[in-house]
């Protein structure tokens, strides 16, 4: 994942993403589809984790076998929609520790306001994968990465489902060292800060709120 933006054109992701976008998809279906997508995204997002080897004994002979190097990665969910991606990633990266960052968007300024932050230790020596399904203005994402860098994180990735060009540009300007992985790069942001064509409010659709 060396380039700044990677779009994952996996057929299972793209098929499920279309169903997620469909406004007639129910909340239980939405959660199921999101979980399925996040399992495949997890495999893609962890493709370049650093590896080393360990000597083990199979039932037949010793071997130098590949294992993940260093401490387990850290997953950071931007509340609350990030949790929809987090669950699938945690199933694949089950040894990960998990941080949560709570930010809400001020309705008038669209700027992020922090209300919660709880992070695991040792961020300076671990891969940190931030998850939020929607990279819209990029303000919450950039603010979260600011927090993580202040806490010592150096190796940070951002994983989302849909990205707006405006959000990608904001992240590139604020954090050019943080690669972004998305399932789709959409057309633009609406004047209310929604991604178009998008899928609506991810948190509301995931949890059945309005
Ligand atoms: N957050 C959402 O949930 N949806 C958008 O379109 C933009 C931000």
């Amino acid at each position: 994942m060396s380039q700044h933006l990677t779009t994952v054109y996996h057929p299972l992701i793209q098929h499920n993403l279309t169903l997620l976008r469909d406004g007639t998809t129910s909340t239980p279906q939405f959660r199921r589809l999101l979980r399925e997508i996040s399992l495949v995204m997890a495999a893609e997002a962890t493709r370049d984790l650093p590896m080393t080897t360990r000597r083990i004994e199979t039932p037949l002979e010793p071997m130098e076998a590949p294992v993940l190097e260093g401490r387990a990665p850290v997953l950071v969910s931007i509340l609350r929609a990030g949790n929809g991606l987090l669950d699938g990633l945690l199933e694949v990266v089950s040894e990960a520790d998990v941080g949560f960052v709570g930010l809400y968007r001020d309705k008038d300024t669209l700027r992020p306001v922090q209300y919660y932050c709880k992070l695991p230790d040792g961020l300076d020596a671990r891969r940190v994968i931030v998850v939020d399904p929607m990279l819209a203005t990029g303000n919450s994402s950039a603010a979260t990465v600011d927090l993580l860098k202040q806490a010592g994180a150096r190796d940070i990735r951002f994983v989302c489902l849909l990205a707006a060009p405006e959000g990608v540009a904001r992240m590139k300007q604020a954090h050019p060292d943080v690669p972004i992985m998305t399932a789709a790069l959409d057309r633009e942001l609406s004047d209310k800060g929604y991604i178009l064509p998008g899928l609506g409010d991810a948190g509301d659709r995931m949890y059945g709120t309005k």
Side-chain angles (χ1 to χ4, degrees):
M1 219 200 279
S2 57
Q3 61 201 38
H4 188 249
L5 180 71
T6 302
T7 306
V8 183
Y9 283 110
H10 193 293
L12 295 175
I13 292 180
Q14 295 303 323
H15 178 82
N16 281 358
L17 184 54
T18 297
L19 301 178
L20 274 185
R21 288 182 189 275
D22 188 333
T24 65
T25 295
S26 68
T27 289
Q29 284 173 316
F30 192 93
R31 280 199 289 263
R32 181 179 56 74
L33 291 162
L34 189 53
R35 187 181 156 278
E36 287 178 13
I37 290 181
S38 61
L39 292 173
V40 187
M41 289 293 277
E44 296 291 334
T46 51
R47 193 177 277 285
D48 66 344
L49 281 177
M51 301 288 296
T52 183
T53 59
R54 194 174 73 199
R55 191 158 185 82
I56 59 164
E57 303 268 345
T58 78
L60 301 176
E61 62 179 30
M63 77 173 281
E64 282 293 323
V67 286
L68 295 177
E69 188 173 37
R71 289 186 67 184
V74 170
L75 307 178
V76 174
S77 169
I78 303 181
L79 298 172
R80 69 187 156 146
N83 287 11
L85 278 181
L86 173 68
D87 294 344
L89 260 91
L90 257 185
E91 281 187 44
V92 176
V93 195
S94 57
E95 291 181 12
D97 291 327
V98 182
F100 293 94
V101 173
L103 299 162
Y104 68 85
R105 263 200 311 183
D106 184 284
K107 279 206 161 28
D108 299 321
T109 64
L110 301 183
R111 304 289 309 172
V113 182
Q114 184 192 321
Y115 64 89
Y116 188 76
C117 181
K118 186 85 178 171
L119 300 171
D121 69 4
L123 292 186
D124 55 332
R126 307 171 75 176
R127 167 72 57 87
V128 179
I129 303 174
V130 183
V131 293
D132 187 346
M134 313 299 274
L135 176 56
T137 61
N139 289 334
S140 305
S141 323
T144 299
V145 174
D146 284 340
L147 279 172
L148 292 169
K149 287 183 174 173
Q150 280 159 26
R154 291 194 301 252
D155 179 12
I156 306 173
R157 309 293 159 105
F158 187 88
V159 176
C160 59
L161 268 190
L162 296 186
E166 294 88 336
V168 174
R170 169 89 178 91
M171 280 291 278
K172 188 164 191 175
Q173 168 246 324
H175 299 293
D177 56 318
V178 175
I180 299 166
M181 173 176 285
T182 185
L185 177 62
D186 273 12
R187 192 181 68 245
E188 61 183 346
L189 279 188
S190 75
D191 53 5
K192 291 203 160 53
Y194 282 95
I195 297 176
L196 297 174
L199 52 73
D201 186 301
D204 282 347
R205 295 204 60 199
M206 203 179 294
Y207 297 119
T209 51
K210 258 281 169 241

